[in-house]
Amino acid sequence: MFPGEGRGPVPYPRLARRRDRCCAPSLGPGLCRGTAVIETERLILREWRDADRDIFLKTCNTSAVTRFLGGQSTDEQLDAAIARIRACQAANGHCFWAIERRNDRSFLGYCGLKIANRVCPAIEGEIEIGWRLSEDAWGQGYAREAAETTLAWAWANLDAPRIVAMTVPANTASWGLMERLGMTRHADLDFAHPVFAADHPLSAHIVYAIDRPHPR
């Protein structure tokens, strides 16, 4: 989640979604075509539940987690953000899905897809991947595992020609993961975030993208 995100979902053409839980073998174990639930070896990516709210506020709104997001948010701001996430799911069939660890059902944060909003006009309306995990989930490969399966879901279910992501230059962990996912930097798309003053250290944002794989 990035500062100032969300002014409501932007309609985006997508493939028809099935609501069953039947997995398509060609997508790999646990990856279900057209459903909001994705299972990996260690994780479950799913729609948000009311019970997620308190643990998200407790674990994903710390000073460390929000260091590159503009700092900690108020409860009201996070409630509004969760509402936007759930509205995105309802409108578009995807969102920044809640992440559960399979072995103990612990809530770890989120990873998923949204419609890029107006903060960067050059990519407005494109599909954006993003993630935010609690501190105790860092350094264990969860973000990469969730992001890789999110990209696979996107290629299987959406007709987007590419997926974009954004962060700030100082967030080396974030753009480092983008590069490990196969995303490449697009300096021509970099922008100054309108929430921050031009001289603010979080004003400058960099953009990465990955093109749809060629059919085999």
Side-chain angles (χ1 to χ4, degrees):
M1 185 186 304
F2 295 94
E5 71 161 352
R7 289 190 176 96
V10 178
Y12 189 88
R14 60 186 185 276
L15 302 181
R17 296 181 299 116
R18 289 170 27 202
R19 299 301 300 175
D20 58 74
R21 296 293 303 276
C22 186
C23 294
S26 63
L27 301 181
L31 186 58
C32 302
R33 182 184 298 277
T35 176
V37 177
I38 306 170
E39 295 187 3
T40 70
E41 181 179 355
R42 300 182 296 169
L43 305 174
I44 298 172
L45 279 65
R46 58 165 174 76
E47 296 181 34
W48 285 65
R49 302 170 184 154
D50 292 343
D52 298 328
R53 184 257 189 197
D54 289 346
I55 188 65
F56 179 69
L57 267 62
K58 179 180 179 180
T59 63
C60 293
N61 192 38
T62 65
S63 57
V65 172
T66 62
R67 177 184 175 191
F68 299 113
L69 302 175
Q72 293 168 279
S73 301
T74 65
D75 288 3
E76 292 75 17
Q77 288 171 327
L78 287 180
D79 283 340
I82 293 171
R84 289 194 298 270
I85 290 172
R86 299 181 84 166
C88 181
Q89 176 67 41
N92 302 301
H94 56 75
C95 67
F96 284 172
W97 290 303
I99 303 174
E100 276 187 14
R101 187 163 47 211
R102 289 182 65 174
N103 65 0
D104 61 4
R105 291 301 194 263
S106 292
F107 179 92
L108 302 182
Y110 67 62
C111 179
L113 306 162
K114 59 171 275 191
I115 310 297
N117 60 25
R118 297 173 180 85
V119 299
C120 179
I123 60 172
E124 181 181 354
E126 295 198 46
I127 301 295
E128 175 187 342
I129 186 171
W131 48 82
R132 185 198 291 205
L133 276 69
S134 59
E135 291 177 69
D136 61 2
W138 293 357
Q140 301 174 64
Y142 292 137
R144 181 171 184 173
E145 187 171 330
E148 286 179 338
T149 201
T150 293
L151 287 174
W153 187 96
W155 304 138
N157 288 274
L158 306 177
D159 58 1
R162 68 178 182 181
I163 306 293
V164 299
M166 63 182 74
T167 189
V168 295
N171 194 350
T172 56
S174 183
W175 59 256
L177 175 54
M178 294 172 193
E179 292 185 350
R180 291 192 295 277
L181 293 171
M183 307 186 83
T184 57
R185 171 82 181 277
H186 287 254
D188 57 313
L189 300 177
D190 293 351
F191 66 100
H193 201 294
V195 167
F196 303 106
D199 59 351
H200 192 283
L202 297 181
S203 172
H205 274 59
I206 57 178
V207 177
Y208 277 73
I210 184 170
D211 292 332
R212 172 177 291 277
H214 294 296
R216 295 181 178 178

